[in-house]
Amino acid sequence: MKLIEAKDYHEMSMLAAEVILDQIKEKNDSVLGLATGGTVLGTYQQLILDHQQNKTAYQHIKTFNLDEYAGLSRQDENSYHAYMKKHFFDEVNIPFSQTFLPNGEALDMKAECENYDQKMEELGGIDLQLLGIGQNGHIGFNEPGSSFESKTHLVALEQSTREANARYFDTIEDVPTHAVTMGIATIMKSKKVLLLASGLQKSSILYDLFHSDVTSSIPATILRDHPNTIIIADQEALSKLHQDERKMFAK
Ligand code: GLP
């Protein structure tokens, strides 16, 4: 894991967008793994700005999102389908048919999950996976205790995750209890991983990410075993790490 320290949220977003743009420059038909949440929003804004200014082309890019709430329709404003459309897909020239998210309303969820993993493989696998991190160390919606062998699957959300995400809903009761997520094995298959973290509320989990052994009780620690992981975090998120440690992890 290589750490890149950013001053603040804005700088983190700019640095993250640079990593993604380098990937697109290197391979204009890259398969990108995308994430939702507050952390990655600024990165999408930077990519949109770049698209407007530099005309970076997305017509050959394919995208797979990490996760989707179970039981929400694509049109629901809290669905990750709606998030991606609003905050990214509608603003760049990516053909809608090349953007994939799990269908949270699938009647046969097992088949839906298998097809999702299969589609990823057919398109050559994910070149770069963008990730946020939950305060409990979840990646995608792989909550503590998730198997490292898991592929895309249906999960029950922890109450703490529902509470953390309740800010987007009218009431906590409206937050779905389940979600479909790429599994840890799915995420680990991507050739490169880019994890972002910002703010004091992520400082404890970032400390654990760098200090704990690899353990399924902190799912993100598996990234230590990935050969090509970049973590871009801002000073608040890194505030529990000593300066010397930050330098050491930056190498
Ligand atoms: C959500 C998403 C994750 C995201 C995480 C952090 O539950 N499923 O993919 O990384 O929580 O979200 P935020 O960036 O809003 O803190």
Side-chain angles (χ1 to χ4, degrees), residues 31-50:
V31 180
L32 301 178
L34 299 180
T36 50
T39 310
V40 293
L41 210 49
T43 305
Y44 293 132
Q45 284 163 2
Q46 290 302 320
L47 291 176
I48 293 165
L49 264 181
D50 161 81

Side-chain angles (χ1 to χ4, degrees), residues 1-5 210 238 241-251:
M1 297 195 306
K2 183 182 154 74
L3 173 67
I4 299 177
E5 185 172 347
F210 283 100
L238 292 173
L241 270 85
H242 195 271
Q243 287 295 346
D244 293 345
E245 292 178 302
R246 297 188 204 180
K247 275 191 201 135
M248 190 172 81
F249 297 129
K251 284 186 183 144

Side-chain angles (χ1 to χ4, degrees), residues 35-40 66-67 69 80 131-134 138-141 161 165 167-168 201-202:
T36 50
T39 310
V40 293
L66 275 171
D67 45 19
Y69 287 117
Y80 288 164
L131 289 180
I133 183 168
H138 72 224
I139 46 177
F141 269 131
T161 297
N165 289 358
R167 64 192 190 278
Y168 300 112
Q201 70 280 15
K202 298 290 166 73

Side-chain angles (χ1 to χ4, degrees), residues 115-127:
N115 291 340
Y116 199 63
D117 283 321
Q118 200 185 328
K119 187 81 198 162
M120 248 176 259
E121 301 236 328
E122 269 169 33
L123 293 176
I126 290 175
D127 292 302

Side-chain angles (χ1 to χ4, degrees), residues 187-188 190-193 222-229:
I187 294 170
M188 288 296 280
S190 44
K191 296 172 190 97
K192 215 180 277 175
V193 174
I222 189 67
L223 298 173
R224 290 165 159 276
D225 286 348
H226 191 285
N228 202 354
T229 295

Side-chain angles (χ1 to χ4, degrees), residues 3-229:
L3 173 67
I4 299 177
E5 185 172 347
K7 193 169 53 161
D8 53 17
Y9 180 81
H10 180 67
E11 193 178 73
M12 177 198 73
S13 305
M14 300 227 307
L15 292 169
E18 266 174 41
V19 173
I20 297 170
L21 290 168
D22 283 348
Q23 172 66 42
I24 296 175
K25 270 181 211 135
E26 197 182 304
K27 189 176 173 219
N28 74 350
D29 61 348
S30 289
V31 180
L32 301 178
L34 299 180
T36 50
T39 310
V40 293
L41 210 49
T43 305
Y44 293 132
Q45 284 163 2
Q46 290 302 320
L47 291 176
I48 293 165
L49 264 181
D50 161 81
H51 177 69
Q52 290 163 352
Q53 289 166 0
N54 306 317
K55 308 275 175 283
T56 297
Y58 289 80
Q59 70 257 39
H60 302 301
I61 298 289
K62 285 117 199 158
T63 65
F64 284 88
N65 264 77
L66 275 171
D67 45 19
E68 176 58 289
Y69 287 117
L72 291 193
S73 82
R74 283 158 205 253
Q75 286 74 32
D76 190 301
E77 59 173 1
N78 283 311
S79 73
Y80 288 164
H81 276 83
Y83 172 110
M84 289 309 300
K85 193 169 148 34
K86 176 173 173 194
H87 297 298
F88 191 49
F89 298 152
D90 277 355
E91 306 296 329
V92 295
N93 65 334
I94 187 160
F96 183 65
S97 60
Q98 289 164 207
T99 64
F100 302 94
L101 285 96
N103 175 8
E105 286 193 306
L107 292 177
D108 184 346
M109 203 46 100
K110 193 164 171 283
E112 169 67 21
C113 293
E114 282 171 9
N115 291 340
Y116 199 63
D117 283 321
Q118 200 185 328
K119 187 81 198 162
M120 248 176 259
E121 301 236 328
E122 269 169 33
L123 293 176
I126 290 175
D127 292 302
L128 172 64
Q129 176 66 57
L130 178 64
L131 289 180
I133 183 168
Q135 290 174 37
N136 61 5
H138 72 224
I139 46 177
F141 269 131
N142 293 284
E143 298 283 31
S146 301
S147 159
F148 287 156
E149 310 303 321
S150 55
K151 296 185 174 175
T152 300
H153 61 300
L154 183 72
V155 286
L157 298 179
E158 283 206 349
Q159 186 59 15
S160 65
T161 297
R162 295 182 68 229
E163 281 162 14
N165 289 358
R167 64 192 190 278
Y168 300 112
F169 294 80
D170 291 338
T171 68
I172 178 99
E173 286 75 35
D174 294 332
V175 184
T177 54
H178 290 74
V180 193
T181 182
M182 279 187 199
I184 306 251
T186 324
I187 294 170
M188 288 296 280
K189 268 193 191 167
S190 44
K191 296 172 190 97
K192 215 180 277 175
V193 174
L194 174 61
L195 182 139
L196 307 185
S198 167
L200 287 175
Q201 70 280 15
K202 298 290 166 73
S203 59
S204 294
I205 190 61
L206 267 237
Y207 181 89
D208 291 347
L209 178 59
F210 283 100
H211 288 87
S212 160
D213 291 335
V214 174
T215 164
S216 62
S217 59
I218 309 175
T221 55
I222 189 67
L223 298 173
R224 290 165 159 276
D225 286 348
H226 191 285
N228 202 354
T229 295

